Amino acid sequence: MLDVVNLSCQRGERRLFSGLTLSVASGKLLAVSGENGSGKTSLLRMLCGLLPPEQGTIRWQGTPVGELGESYRGQFTYIGHLNGLKDDLTPLENLQFAARLAGVEATEAACREALQAVGLGPQIQRLPSGVLSQGQKRRSALARLWVSMRPLWILDEPFAALDDAATRSLTRRLEAHVKGGGIVVASTHQEIGVAPEFMQQARLAG
Amino acid sequence: MTQLGLTDAVRDVIRRDLLVALRRRADALTTVVFFVIVTSLFPLGIGPEPAVLRMIAPGVLWVAALLSCLLSLGRLFTTDYVDGVLEQLVLVPQPLTVLVGAKVAAHWLISGLPIVLLAPVLGLQYGLGGDVLGVLTLSLLLGTPTLSLIGAIGAALTLGVRGSHVLIALLVLPLFIPVLIFGAGAVTSYIAGIGVEANLSLLGACLMLAVVLAPWATAAALRIALE
């Protein structure tokens, strides 16, 4: 269970949101929507601890995340606007390093399978990430979800730059995660094709 | 799939940075080539007078090492910051101070160690003998990691700031001064026939202090840069 209580965010002189309270239970996908600049990215960055809240509390399984410290960072996978890929490494190498730094010994076969699942075949897996298109880079970053065993996924515009096939593949992956009792918090400008019983919506007014 | 610990994370951070440096050889070579060129220009400009060359050698070699380190600091966190890898590193469920230490270790292996290894060869241009070259190498071995550690603080503090290269220099050059004094001082003392223990001990003390404090300060600066 992820709880957000009375959360406020101010960037510079501008207050993005205040008094934000919401709760996401296991097995739910929270789709955060709102206009550009409404604070979606700031909210997600607060959820993963990259941005300290101006006011309010974030609780994971009932405990404030500030008290959990490093153990909370072991509970979620965050994929932000930036893909977190080194241009000089191949998608396979990037995924292996990302998985290992996340604390998971993902085998080469598991990583290849994950990349295949997002539509990056064996030939693309061997190319330096720097030569891939934006969509391919995004897929490469999202492949981390296929090797992630963490219960909470925090995703900033995960569908950005994806084509229809990759969108369907990611949607299936998200649905499988929430069906298995996981939690997804994703900012998005589009409808997520996950079954309505697993969905929750939050709209930031900006 | 098995769970990995802190040691694995440290090894992976170092391995990744070394692999990237290997693929991007020009960046790593820039530092080394700069060191070679600067140290080779002085004998050409000053002339072949052995006494003069021996006198200026410690200072020239140490200042060149210091400037080479400065040259490479801009890359320490910038590319990771731009491509989002730094964001992911901060979220790794391991102490960031230790991971920062691993990144600095990788930086030293890429830009500091080649200087330590090349210095005795370049020292021959200045007419330095075997023992003096040994002291020079030892002083650089103790001093260059300190330069990387101190430099990391500057690199983290100026992350995302326009004109960060100049700012790094302004921030860290004053902090490099003790290392320069003790490092060059050790070699000068040996040439003058004075004991080198004091200077080397002080270099060691600087390194210990930097190992303890710099990763902590750098990690704090990185967190602020990412907010």
Side-chain angles (χ1 to χ4, degrees), chain A residues 83 85 87 91 118-120 124 127-141 160-163 166:
Chain A
N83 291 316
L85 303 171
D87 278 353
V118 293
L120 299 180
I124 296 172
L127 294 173
S129 297
V131 304
L132 303 183
S133 71
Q134 284 305 313
Q136 287 171 322
K137 283 182 182 174
R138 195 61 180 161
R139 289 174 186 218
S140 183
L162 295 186
D163 60 19

Side-chain angles (χ1 to χ4, degrees), chain A residues 53-128:
Chain A
E54 186 204 353
Q55 196 186 338
T57 313
I58 299 163
R59 292 199 189 97
W60 173 247
Q61 312 294 23
T63 310
V65 296
E67 291 175 20
L68 291 170
E70 280 163 25
S71 67
Y72 174 61
R73 298 207 295 271
Q75 296 296 307
F76 66 82
T77 295
Y78 171 72
I79 299 177
H81 270 304
L82 300 169
N83 291 316
L85 303 171
K86 300 304 293 179
D87 278 353
D88 299 292
L89 303 183
T90 66
L92 182 64
E93 289 165 339
N94 270 307
L95 182 57
Q96 284 177 310
F97 277 120
R100 287 180 60 84
L101 282 172
V104 177
E105 173 73 87
T107 61
E108 186 179 325
C111 291
R112 284 193 184 282
E113 206 175 307
L115 290 165
Q116 189 72 53
V118 293
L120 299 180
Q123 284 186 326
I124 296 172
Q125 290 175 21
R126 286 194 292 268
L127 294 173

